[in-house]
Amino acid sequence: MFELTKRAMPKFERCTGISQSRLEILRELFVSEEITQRELQKKVNIDHAAVTRHLKQLEESGMVIRRKNPDDNRFTYVQLTDEGKQRVAAYCEEKQRFISSVLNDFSEEEKSALLDLLTRLQKNIEEM
């Protein structure tokens, strides 16, 4: 499984132009509208330093806005810009094309069985 991930991730990043971690951050922001950086970090399950680094780069590229809570400077709120929203939609479309390519020549029955197996595997890992 690790070998499969190791081979797929660079191809995914070349295809979509973005890392899976960064896409997860952006997708969560897309769904949440505005969220504290701490909540975001918990939802995407990426360490604090990495989330901060990703957000700084995304802010520099004009995709996100960060602002301090005026009542409590310990909290930073994050949200997508309009450009960020458009780019997330494009990234998600590209991800779907990538997945379709990966599953090329799989029947619907095989796709369904694979999804079932992976879901069960994930559940077993979470229950460990």
Side-chain angles (χ1 to χ4, degrees):
M1 185 78 108
F2 177 72
E3 186 64 30
L4 181 62
T5 301
K6 193 169 93 173
R7 288 177 182 229
M9 292 321 297
K11 292 177 191 252
F12 172 81
E13 290 177 22
R14 274 196 309 275
C15 181
T16 61
I18 191 167
S19 71
Q20 181 65 28
S21 300
R22 195 164 288 182
L23 184 57
E24 288 301 315
I25 289 169
L26 291 170
R27 281 179 10 130
E28 187 57 46
L29 289 172
F30 192 82
V31 171
S32 299
E33 292 288 322
E34 185 174 64
I35 189 171
T36 67
Q37 190 167 323
R38 187 173 295 154
E39 288 175 89
L40 177 63
Q41 185 260 322
K42 288 178 185 176
K43 286 187 180 237
V44 296
N45 198 26
I46 301 173
D47 72 80
H48 177 73
V51 168
T52 299
R53 188 175 57 253
H54 284 301
L55 290 175
K56 182 179 180 188
Q57 292 169 348
L58 290 167
E59 187 174 36
E60 288 171 357
S61 69
M63 291 186 65
V64 302
I65 298 171
R66 293 188 293 172
R67 68 176 180 84
K68 292 284 187 190
N69 181 336
D71 299 325
D72 190 343
N73 279 340
R74 295 175 297 168
F75 296 100
T76 301
Y77 288 95
V78 187
Q79 68 182 62
L80 287 174
T81 62
D82 288 338
E83 179 185 343
K85 290 175 186 174
Q86 291 172 351
R87 288 175 63 186
V88 168
Y91 289 141
C92 290
E93 287 176 17
E94 199 59 44
K95 181 180 179 180
Q96 284 307 118
R97 280 193 282 279
F98 178 82
I99 291 168
S100 292
S101 293
V102 169
L103 297 176
N104 189 32
D105 296 331
F106 279 62
S107 69
E108 289 305 314
E109 185 177 286
E110 290 170 324
K111 290 176 188 177
S112 180
L114 178 60
L115 178 59
D116 181 54
L117 292 169
L118 291 172
T119 301
R120 288 173 31 209
L121 181 63
Q122 182 175 345
K123 180 178 178 260
N124 289 346
I125 291 170
E126 288 172 359
E127 292 176 352
M128 291 175 80

